[in-house]
Amino acid sequence: MSETLLDLKGLKCPLPVLKARKAMSRLPAGDRLVVLTTDPMAEIDIPHFCQENGHTLVASERTEFGHRFLLTKGA
């Protein structure tokens, strides 16, 4: 299992979730993706994306710049 960092700071909705979707499509099942965002809508969009696409939202936290999400790719 590996972990990939995706820095999406400065991008506005819907770009963070679209880029996260593209990055997840390249990962094998079980790999993790760390997503950094500044878009306030990502707090809603990223968890919804995980739920709709069978991925796991391992962690979500507010940071000094916005949010940090840890996702695990589903099967």
Side-chain angles (χ1 to χ4, degrees), residues 1-5 23-24 26-34 58 70-73:
M1 171 174 38
S2 68
E3 194 170 281
T4 303
L5 176 65
M24 286 294 260
R26 294 191 213 112
L27 299 177
D31 271 18
R32 291 184 164 190
L33 182 66
V34 176
V58 178
L70 177 58
L71 317 177
T72 300
K73 180 165 180 173

Side-chain angles (χ1 to χ4, degrees), residues 49-56 72-75:
F49 158 71
C50 289
Q51 184 179 15
E52 293 293 311
N53 292 276
H55 307 306
T56 302
T72 300
K73 180 165 180 173

Side-chain angles (χ1 to χ4, degrees), residues 4-66:
T4 303
L5 176 65
L6 189 60
D7 186 345
L8 302 176
K9 295 186 296 254
L11 298 180
K12 298 290 183 195
C13 183
L15 289 175
V17 77
L18 293 176
K19 289 188 177 284
R21 178 187 314 271
K22 188 173 183 178
M24 286 294 260
S25 72
R26 294 191 213 112
L27 299 177
D31 271 18
R32 291 184 164 190
L33 182 66
V34 176
V35 182
L36 306 177
T37 67
T38 51
D39 181 17
M41 289 303 295
E43 190 173 17
I44 297 167
D45 293 343
I46 298 291
H48 184 259
F49 158 71
C50 289
Q51 184 179 15
E52 293 293 311
N53 292 276
H55 307 306
T56 302
L57 178 62
V58 178
S60 173
E61 64 181 329
R62 289 180 188 258
T63 63
E64 62 182 281
F65 59 80

